[in-house]
Amino acid sequence: HNSIALCYSSTGLIEQVAQDAITFFKTGKRQHRDVVGPDYYHIMPQDVFCDCECEACAAARGPRGPHGEIDWLNTTSVWKFTDAVARRVAQECPGKFISQCAYYDYAGFPEGLDLATNILCGPALGIRTAWVNPDCHEITEYRKWVAAFPGRMGTIWVYPCFPNEGAE
């Protein structure tokens, strides 16, 4: 792959992303192709399997499942990063939110983390699978997010292409 892994434990990356959000909230200026709204600034990792291998990120990475699956592998590192950005933004822009997806290998609810109150969550679900098995791990995790984030579920991203896409 040609992707460059971002280091979610990097204080420099945390500060840069927070500053991009703060700049938007204070001036309306978008730094990149930011996904924004009047009261939120969306951040999201790359949609590729490419992990930072530094000691801090590797230590935060969860184990692979018994069959090599990557479910929730980066939940801790991505949500710690999101929390750090949100807390930094809250210092200068009270009432503004950082939005993040619960997706792919960071979709699991981050047990044991006390996430900032200015985080909005947008779970991503392979929704066709859920109808077949309403107790599947995606729906189980979604229920945890809903219980922990009342009023802060900003979006829900659905992927009606699964499981077809993998099979085709």
Side-chain angles (χ1 to χ4, degrees), residues 108-152:
F109 184 78
E111 302 287 348
L113 294 181
D114 181 24
L115 296 176
T117 58
N118 65 324
I119 295 176
L120 298 176
C121 180
L125 305 170
I127 202 69
R128 290 174 74 178
T129 308
W131 299 121
V132 175
N133 180 5
D135 294 321
C136 70
H137 66 281
E138 287 182 316
I139 296 300
T140 300
E141 290 303 305
Y142 174 67
R143 289 180 181 134
K144 289 179 186 178
W145 280 107
V146 169
F149 272 61
R152 293 194 292 149

Side-chain angles (χ1 to χ4, degrees), residues 20-80:
D20 289 348
I22 291 165
T23 297
F24 168 72
F25 289 133
K26 288 186 173 185
T27 69
K29 182 179 178 194
R30 296 169 65 174
Q31 302 299 308
H32 312 285
R33 293 182 346 206
D34 307 339
V35 176
V36 298
D39 294 322
Y40 73 89
Y41 187 91
H42 187 75
I43 61 176
M44 186 174 174
Q46 300 160 309
D47 193 5
V48 295
F49 188 66
C50 179
D51 298 324
C52 175
E53 296 299 331
C54 82
E55 192 173 309
C57 287
R61 196 167 296 121
R64 284 183 175 265
H67 305 289
E69 61 269 24
I70 61 168
D71 291 352
W72 321 159
L73 195 63
N74 288 306
T75 289
T76 300
S77 61
V78 169
W79 288 98
K80 277 185 174 181

